[in-house]
Amino acid sequence: MTLSWYELVTAATDSATALLEKSEGDWSRPAGTLEWSCQQTASHLSQAVTGYAGLLIAQPKDRYITLMTHIDAGASAAAKAEGIRIAGRLLAGVVREASPEARAWHPWGTSDVAGFSAMAVAELLLHSRDIALTFGLDWEPSDELCAPVLERIFPGAPTGHGAAETLLWSTGRGDLPGLARPAEWRWYGDVR
């Protein structure tokens, strides 16, 4: 069964927040291999996912929106997860209601509903994993959630491997047999 983008955003939100709720401790430490702290990563995640909803609503042609969000540094892991859940649910609602013709600017390509959904799913899965690694939680995203992301925003990704391990490799977070890990990467948001 193929999930809709609404269902994918919802499932990725649920998966990410269930993991983040378990990440109790010092959020000032780096998130996985990132230079950002877990706190900065959570705020980036909130900003990105909320921002994608705002972009689909405002549909600017040449700029980012002015709405900014962050996650309270003093909040518990459960409350931080709640903030991410709110952002994810906001985006899911916008995705469900958005016109298929909706287009908005993004620095990595003017995108559509599928593009912003795929970007959000990637952000949710990857950054919740980054944070979880810091707290010793061994977790990998599901192939079911990663496959549509690869198809939509990583069209040149290698084939013949699991979707989750390919997404991790495509974003410099994992290894694939016989391939060097990318030092730099970006996804492709342009409508395709």
Side-chain angles (χ1 to χ4, degrees), residues 65-76:
I65 59 170
T66 59
L67 174 67
M68 299 292 164
T69 63
H70 74 279
I71 298 295
D72 182 0
S76 67

Side-chain angles (χ1 to χ4, degrees), residues 20 27 31 34 36-52 64 67-72 80 83-84 87 106-108 119-120 122-128 130-131 173 185 187:
L20 293 173
W27 282 62
L34 301 180
W36 293 338
S37 70
C38 292
Q39 178 61 39
Q40 289 169 313
T41 303
S43 282
H44 163 77
L45 182 52
S46 166
Q47 174 58 39
V49 175
T50 303
Y52 299 154
Y64 202 71
L67 174 67
M68 299 292 164
T69 63
H70 74 279
I71 298 295
D72 182 0
K80 290 175 195 297
I84 302 301
H106 184 275
W108 288 354
M119 290 180 224
E123 298 267 15
L124 286 159
L125 298 177
L126 295 170
H127 287 315
S128 61
D130 293 334
I131 293 168
R173 290 170 169 84
W185 62 271
W187 58 54

